[in-house]
Amino acid sequence: FVRGKTYTRKDAIRLLNWYSDSSSTVYGYRTDKRTQTCPIFVTYHKSDELEESVRYEDELLDLSTLYWFSKSRRTLKSRELQPILNGDAELHLFVQREDADATNFYYLGRVTSENPKQTTMPGKDGVALDVVTTNLKLELALPQILFDTITAPQNVGISDIRK
């Protein structure tokens, strides 16, 4: 992978050497048991039209840290989260600015999980849903331009950022 370049889910699965193309079922994250690799896909700016249960508040805190939400209805004991939280899988972080970016995600690099916490987030009709948050720490800090590109408000075009 090349940091800052864009990849589709299908590209990521292929480059991680998974046996089969599982890209259509990798929404958010998934660990491949054979390769012990886990791509994590994040949409940075979520649409206000999304259901509350998938409107995660992922946030780049600085050039090296993404505050990340697991899928809702998960706890610190959820089996699917163990390879991520325990460091048993090689984690690769991919982020798209918004849904309008279609299937293209910027590759930000390898990450490790730090300081996981059990918390809740609002669901339908204000019902609290279990969720796990953690800091995903990048092995290498992001270039400022890539950070600015991802975190820029939705109504700002990429060409405006790069000026």
Side-chain angles (χ1 to χ4, degrees), residues 2 6-7 20 24-25 31 40-41 49-50 52-53 56 62 73 78 99 108 111 119 129 142 144 147 150 152 162:
V2 177
T6 58
Y7 297 87
S20 62
S24 64
T25 61
T31 301
I40 298 173
F41 297 96
E49 296 171 13
L50 284 176
E52 294 92 341
S53 64
Y56 310 111
D62 56 39
R73 299 176 181 87
S78 295
D99 288 322
L108 302 192
V111 294
T119 188
L129 301 173
L142 295 175
Q144 187 69 50
F147 178 89
I150 293 167
R162 298 184 184 242

Side-chain angles (χ1 to χ4, degrees), residues 15 28 31 45-46 52 57 69-70 81 95 129-130 132 148 161:
L15 290 169
T31 301
H45 295 289
K46 316 286 190 294
E52 294 92 341
E57 297 179 24
F69 284 67
S70 71
L81 289 176
V95 177
L129 301 173
D130 287 330
V132 173
D148 293 344
I161 299 164

Side-chain angles (χ1 to χ4, degrees), residues 47-97:
S47 168
D48 291 336
E49 296 171 13
L50 284 176
E51 286 183 39
E52 294 92 341
S53 64
V54 293
R55 205 176 308 145
Y56 310 111
E57 297 179 24
D58 306 304
E59 180 183 6
L60 277 166
L61 301 177
D62 56 39
L63 297 176
S64 300
T65 311
L66 177 80
Y67 181 67
W68 178 74
F69 284 67
S70 71
K71 296 172 188 169
S72 61
R73 299 176 181 87
R74 304 302 190 273
T75 69
L76 288 169
K77 295 182 181 183
S78 295
R79 186 178 311 162
E80 74 182 42
L81 289 176
Q82 296 314 300
I84 295 170
L85 303 179
N86 296 336
D88 296 334
E90 182 178 289
L91 309 177
H92 294 269
L93 181 58
F94 299 84
V95 177
Q96 66 179 189
R97 266 184 79 212

Side-chain angles (χ1 to χ4, degrees), residues 101-154:
D101 293 340
T103 60
N104 292 314
F105 292 80
Y106 291 101
Y107 179 63
L108 302 192
R110 287 185 56 176
V111 294
T112 54
S113 169
E114 293 184 358
N115 199 23
K117 292 184 177 162
Q118 180 68 51
T119 188
T120 60
M121 63 181 284
K124 191 173 183 174
D125 299 323
V127 173
L129 301 173
D130 287 330
V131 68
V132 173
T133 62
T134 189
N135 288 332
L136 295 178
K137 295 294 283 187
L138 287 155
E139 285 184 346
L140 298 170
L142 295 175
Q144 187 69 50
I145 189 68
L146 183 54
F147 178 89
D148 293 344
T149 298
I150 293 167
T151 60
Q154 284 181 278

